[in-house]
């Protein structure tokens, strides 16, 4: 583990050096790479990047999305400069530094015509009567979602679909009465525009930190 820490830093430094000498000296565009988890790729990152570009001018950012374990592996190997998203499990954070930006909770997203939205009072037990869309094991929110379901003694009676595809889940909810357990940042824009809705469930105990993850043994390039 000690050797890997130094070897990883050396490989990262070599990649940065090759990248610097490979660019034309007259190119003013600044290249950098960001790994974005779904919780920020639809809501926070577009606004942040637009602000950065308007403030600093020409850039050539590379935005990479994917599962948390894939992004963390690319970050560890130096293929990404930083990752933005929900903080993973502590054992995954060895060799990384985390800068907290804000906290968010899990949302129960549904289609705009879902039957539970029209109920006079929300009954959490009724959630079990509908099909669930859940994060697969190993995804960054799978553990908090599982704890939440256990806490409320909820078991699916209408089947489960495991998915990390935002495009699939968004459109699938429009075709039926499924319930999607997902970070609220992923569906914030959809809920705001009315494409989806969020059930009035109390998910305060699923609150988790969202922020920037970088390698602790490597200085970020200018």
């Amino acid at each position: 583990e000690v050797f890997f820490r130094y070897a990883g830093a050396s490989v990262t430094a070599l990649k940065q050096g090759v990248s610097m000498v490979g660019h034309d000296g007259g190119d003013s565009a600044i290249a950098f790479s960001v790994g974005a988890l779904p919780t920020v790729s639809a809501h926070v990152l577009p606004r942040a990047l637009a602000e950065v570009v308007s403030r600093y001018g020409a850039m050539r950012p590379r935005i990479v999305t994917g599962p948390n374990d894939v992004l963390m592996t690319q970050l560890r190997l130096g293929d990404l400069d930083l990752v933005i998203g929900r903080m993973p499990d502590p054992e995954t954070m060895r060799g990384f530094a985390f800068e907290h930006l804000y906290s968010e909770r899990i949302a129960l997203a549904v289609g705009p015509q879902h039957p539970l939205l029209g109920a006079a009072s929300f009954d959490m037990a009724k959630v079990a009567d509908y099909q669930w869309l859940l994060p697969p094991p190993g995804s960054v929110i799978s553990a908090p979602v599982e704890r939440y379901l256990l806490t409320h003694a909820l078991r699916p009676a209408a089947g489960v679909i495991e998915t990390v595809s935002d495009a699939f889940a968004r459109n699938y909810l429009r075709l039926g009465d499924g319930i999607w357990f997902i970070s609220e940042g992923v569906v914030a824009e959809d809920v705001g525009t009315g494409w989806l809705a969020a059930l009035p469930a109390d998910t305060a105990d699923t609150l988790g930190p969202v922020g920037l993850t970088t390698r602790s043994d490597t200085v970020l390039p200018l």
Side-chain angles (χ1 to χ4, degrees), residues 91-183:
E91 58 266 22
T92 309
M93 291 298 295
R94 182 175 299 176
F96 293 138
F98 183 79
E99 180 181 348
H100 179 261
L101 298 178
Y102 62 94
S103 296
E104 71 172 7
R105 64 191 67 193
I106 303 298
L108 277 62
V110 295
Q113 307 299 325
H114 197 279
L116 291 182
L117 293 173
S121 61
F122 178 72
D123 183 2
M124 191 66 190
K126 295 292 184 181
V127 170
D129 297 336
Y130 299 91
Q131 186 181 47
W132 294 351
L133 279 69
L134 298 178
S139 59
V140 71
I141 65 167
S142 61
V145 167
E146 184 177 354
R147 285 195 300 267
Y148 181 76
L149 295 175
L150 290 173
T151 299
H152 292 273
L154 291 173
R155 293 184 178 180
V160 169
I161 295 177
E162 293 184 351
T163 181
V164 293
S165 172
D166 304 338
F168 166 79
R170 287 186 175 98
N171 288 282
Y172 188 81
L173 293 183
R174 303 274 299 187
L175 301 175
D177 296 332
I179 300 176
W180 185 19
F181 292 78
I182 190 66
S183 296

Side-chain angles (χ1 to χ4, degrees), residues 196-207:
L196 297 178
L199 295 177
D202 182 8
T203 58
D205 52 348
T206 65
L207 201 66

Side-chain angles (χ1 to χ4, degrees), residues 39-113:
T39 189
V40 298
S41 60
H43 184 56
V44 175
L45 186 57
R47 289 174 170 80
L49 191 57
E51 171 69 19
V52 169
V53 171
S54 66
R55 183 180 301 181
Y56 297 106
M59 292 190 172
R60 194 178 62 192
R62 180 168 62 97
I63 309 301
V64 179
T65 60
N68 180 69
D69 55 346
V70 173
L71 295 182
M72 287 301 179
T73 298
Q74 293 182 359
L75 177 63
R76 195 178 298 277
L77 294 175
D79 295 330
L80 295 174
D81 291 316
L82 71 157
V83 171
I84 309 177
R86 193 175 176 110
M87 182 179 179
D89 293 333
E91 58 266 22
T92 309
M93 291 298 295
R94 182 175 299 176
F96 293 138
F98 183 79
E99 180 181 348
H100 179 261
L101 298 178
Y102 62 94
S103 296
E104 71 172 7
R105 64 191 67 193
I106 303 298
L108 277 62
V110 295
Q113 307 299 325

Side-chain angles (χ1 to χ4, degrees), residues 2 4 12 16 19 29-30 33 68 72 96-97 100 119 135 140 159 161 166 176 184 191-192 201 203 207 209 211 217:
V2 172
F4 180 77
T12 299
Q16 291 177 354
S19 176
I30 301 172
S33 56
N68 180 69
M72 287 301 179
F96 293 138
H100 179 261
V140 71
I161 295 177
D166 304 338
E184 61 181 357
V191 172
T203 58
L207 201 66
D217 57 0

